[in-house]
Amino acid sequence: MQFPTRRAYHVIYDTSLAESVRYAAENDWNGIVPDLGVPIFSPEKISSNERTVLRELSRDFSIEWGFHAPGDDVSLLSTYPLIRNGIISYFKQIINLAREVSTGPANVVIHAGVPPSFRKAGNHPSDGFSQLYQSVYVQVLRENLSELLTHARPQVRLVIENVNWTPLVREVIEHLIPQGLKLCLDIPKLYGLDLKLKEADWNLFQRYKGSIEVVHIHDVIPQIGGHQVVGNGLIDFQETLAFLSKLSGKPQYVFEVRPREEAHRSLVNIGQIMKIFNYDL
């Protein structure tokens, strides 16, 4: 069976990272990506001894590490000083965990988050508040990402996912790519609810294709949502996979389908697409 060179599953419902490493090695994976939105995977829950064991296990089984920082309830666009400091401190703990369990390079995927929105009364087409304070949020996001990039070097790669990308976020990304910021291409998130391609996001990936470090794979069933088994939804993977197959480097392909048995079904289905179209991922 043909598979992506670097392939990992999104660890959500597992109860032990040590068991996840063993499962991955026995089931066609060579990487795992725990999500730090899961309370039991929080860095303070993983002792120094456990980190040593995980490092040895991943070395023995040749398993690559990636991590997904919390994104649904955390924003790197937060301007509130104490909350902002807490978020940065916690993300640094995640980076430390990634560094300590890995025998080689690891990655941490983050979301930029969203600023507050205060619409005006009437039929105003834009959010005047975000325009008024754009420079403030550009500075906050740039400073936060720069601090995390400095902390992550050289072993951990900081990777930003295409979630809620706006002109503001894209501006900061383009500024920080020369400093080592990497990109995570979530294939279904390239499309809106109407399944139309988000051209601005796609153009950024095309211009900075050498910075793509992680690719998220799952499918979308419009009536249900994303994170479905590949082939069960409406996402056409051909254009993006053809593009990715031409990259000089190999990103880590993370199958964000849960539980892990369904991630494996998706891996097999992607393998079939690779074989049919002769994609080299």
Side-chain angles (χ1 to χ4, degrees), residues 149 153 156-159 176-183 211:
L149 279 167
R153 295 189 189 101
V156 180
R157 295 163 181 164
L158 191 68
V159 189
L176 292 178
I177 281 178
Q179 297 183 32
L181 182 65
K182 301 298 182 182
L183 303 177
S211 295

Side-chain angles (χ1 to χ4, degrees), residues 153-259:
R153 295 189 189 101
Q155 186 180 355
V156 180
R157 295 163 181 164
L158 191 68
V159 189
I160 188 164
E161 182 180 349
N162 54 315
V163 178
N164 296 318
W165 280 6
T166 61
L168 182 160
V169 174
R170 287 191 293 270
E171 174 185 338
V172 174
I173 289 172
E174 295 198 56
H175 178 80
L176 292 178
I177 281 178
Q179 297 183 32
L181 182 65
K182 301 298 182 182
L183 303 177
C184 169
L185 168 55
D186 186 304
I187 294 177
K189 291 189 178 74
L190 274 177
Y191 302 91
L193 295 176
D194 56 2
L195 294 181
K196 289 185 178 179
L197 184 68
K198 298 177 181 177
E199 296 286 354
D201 292 357
W202 182 227
N203 288 339
L204 190 147
F205 282 114
Q206 291 177 309
R207 282 185 287 121
Y208 296 101
K209 59 186 178 182
S211 295
I212 299 174
E213 171 65 21
V214 176
V215 176
H216 287 172
I217 292 184
H218 52 102
D219 214 331
V220 174
I221 300 174
Q223 300 83 355
I224 300 176
H227 303 285
Q228 305 298 325
V229 173
V230 170
N232 286 1
L234 298 183
I235 296 298
D236 183 354
F237 291 91
Q238 289 185 34
E239 180 178 6
T240 46
L241 293 185
F243 165 75
L244 292 165
S245 71
K246 295 181 176 67
L247 297 181
S248 56
K250 301 295 186 186
Q252 182 187 54
Y253 289 83
V254 181
F255 287 73
E256 284 198 332
V257 184
R258 286 85 60 166

Side-chain angles (χ1 to χ4, degrees), residues 7-54:
R7 51 196 182 273
Y9 76 93
H10 195 204
V11 180
I12 300 292
Y13 291 102
D14 299 14
T15 57
S16 162
L17 291 181
E19 194 271 334
S20 298
V21 171
R22 295 188 180 93
Y23 172 86
E26 295 169 359
N27 291 276
D28 299 317
W29 305 104
N30 53 27
I32 62 171
V33 178
D35 196 301
L36 277 297
V38 179
I40 62 170
F41 301 148
S42 194
E44 78 278 2
K45 303 282 182 66
I46 303 174
S47 68
S48 178
N49 287 339
E50 288 177 286
R51 296 177 189 213
T52 299
V53 169
L54 290 172

Side-chain angles (χ1 to χ4, degrees), residues 56-187:
E56 292 173 350
L57 277 174
S58 60
R59 179 198 61 210
D60 293 345
F61 289 104
S62 299
I63 296 297
E64 178 184 13
W65 288 92
F67 287 86
H68 198 310
D72 294 333
D73 53 359
V74 175
S75 176
L76 289 170
L77 286 157
S78 176
T79 59
Y80 323 116
L82 292 178
I83 296 173
R84 179 181 175 186
N85 291 340
I87 292 170
I88 295 300
S89 176
Y90 188 69
F91 277 29
K92 286 181 177 179
Q93 291 180 44
I94 296 171
I95 291 168
N96 292 344
L97 175 62
R99 184 181 289 118
E100 291 171 22
V101 300
S102 179
T103 57
N107 65 72
V108 174
V109 171
I110 58 172
H111 295 179
V114 292
S117 176
F118 301 96
R119 70 173 298 165
K120 294 180 178 179
N123 189 26
H124 289 274
S126 61
D127 175 9
F129 175 82
S130 62
Q131 294 176 335
L132 182 63
Y133 286 93
Q134 175 159 330
S135 62
V136 173
Y137 290 106
V138 164
Q139 181 177 354
V140 166
L141 182 59
R142 184 182 295 180
E143 289 175 355
N144 286 343
L145 289 175
S146 295
E147 185 171 349
L148 292 174
L149 279 167
T150 299
H151 188 76
R153 295 189 189 101
Q155 186 180 355
V156 180
R157 295 163 181 164
L158 191 68
V159 189
I160 188 164
E161 182 180 349
N162 54 315
V163 178
N164 296 318
W165 280 6
T166 61
L168 182 160
V169 174
R170 287 191 293 270
E171 174 185 338
V172 174
I173 289 172
E174 295 198 56
H175 178 80
L176 292 178
I177 281 178
Q179 297 183 32
L181 182 65
K182 301 298 182 182
L183 303 177
C184 169
L185 168 55
D186 186 304
I187 294 177

